[in-house]
Amino acid sequence: MAGGWTRDGAVNEQIEASISDELARMKQNRITGESRTHCAECEEPIPEKRRNALPGVKLCIDCQQERDSHFQARGGINRRGSKDSQLK
């Protein structure tokens, strides 16, 4: 089913492209390397269970929760380019 002036399947292509972009962003930010024994920010010991569960972990639970609580805005991509999507 085409919407307006778009060809059949264009909406699905946009959705797939958005999903692919997000997966690539998540892979890029993935933690790698050896886990630290002490937190990179507060120097508190990181429990062995956490280090085993998350290879490459650098922060203790408290510091990670603090970092996660901060809102990080990402610029969206207006794939459609329609007037309605630009007004939002």
Side-chain angles (χ1 to χ4, degrees):
M1 175 176 106
W5 297 100
T6 62
R7 66 186 185 290
D8 287 342
V11 173
N12 286 337
E13 289 175 11
Q14 292 170 0
I15 293 169
E16 291 294 325
S18 295
I19 291 170
S20 296
D21 289 350
E22 187 64 17
L23 288 173
R25 186 190 68 78
M26 290 174 68
K27 286 179 184 177
Q28 184 180 28
N29 293 336
R30 194 167 61 193
I31 298 173
T32 58
E34 191 174 329
S35 295
R36 292 180 56 128
T37 57
H38 291 78
C39 179
E41 291 186 7
C42 70
E43 293 299 323
E44 289 292 319
I46 298 174
E48 184 178 352
K49 288 184 180 181
R50 178 168 171 76
R51 293 192 315 254
N52 292 337
L54 296 169
V57 71
K58 308 284 186 234
L59 302 174
C60 67
I61 294 172
D62 292 334
C63 290
Q64 186 66 56
Q65 286 176 338
E66 176 68 26
R67 183 176 283 184
D68 291 345
S69 69
H70 297 300
F71 176 74
Q72 295 177 350
R74 284 194 329 258
I77 298 172
N78 180 4
R79 294 187 188 283
R80 294 182 66 189
S82 68
K83 243 194 212 177
D84 292 338
S85 65
Q86 293 174 7
L87 294 174
K88 291 181 181 177

